Amino acid sequence: PERKIYSKYYKRYSARVKSGQITEEKFREWKYTAMTKRDECTNGKISVDELEAWMEESFTNRKKIG
């Protein structure tokens, strides 16, 4: 499940680069941290819920519904 979560948020972040909302450099920084978090989840250091929460929090300009 961690790879599916990573892929979902990678696509979102990548779309923000293409639309000009974030820079390529910011994307590379996020990608490195996201890959590290994904690997921590794979190795059992953090839970899938913690990974998904971090991924969601990494979108600072996103408004949650609800």
Side-chain angles (χ1 to χ4, degrees):
E2 57 274 355
R3 293 208 183 269
K4 186 175 180 179
I5 293 167
Y6 172 80
S7 179
K8 171 181 160 182
Y9 286 94
Y10 178 93
K11 289 175 187 176
R12 287 184 186 176
Y13 231 95
S14 180
R16 286 188 172 201
V17 173
K18 289 177 184 175
S19 70
Q21 291 177 333
I22 62 168
T23 64
E24 185 71 35
E25 183 177 336
K26 287 281 186 192
F27 176 64
R28 282 194 303 270
E29 291 172 9
W30 175 86
K31 186 170 82 170
Y32 175 78
T33 306
M35 288 170 57
T36 303
K37 294 282 188 185
R38 180 199 64 200
D39 292 345
E40 287 177 2
C41 186
T42 301
N43 295 329
K45 293 181 180 176
I46 64 172
S47 70
V48 173
D49 290 338
E50 289 171 315
L51 174 64
E52 191 153 26
W54 181 85
M55 292 283 190
E56 190 63 38
E57 290 170 8
S58 68
F59 286 89
T60 55
N61 296 333
R62 193 152 183 247
K63 293 180 182 175
K64 290 186 179 181
I65 299 171

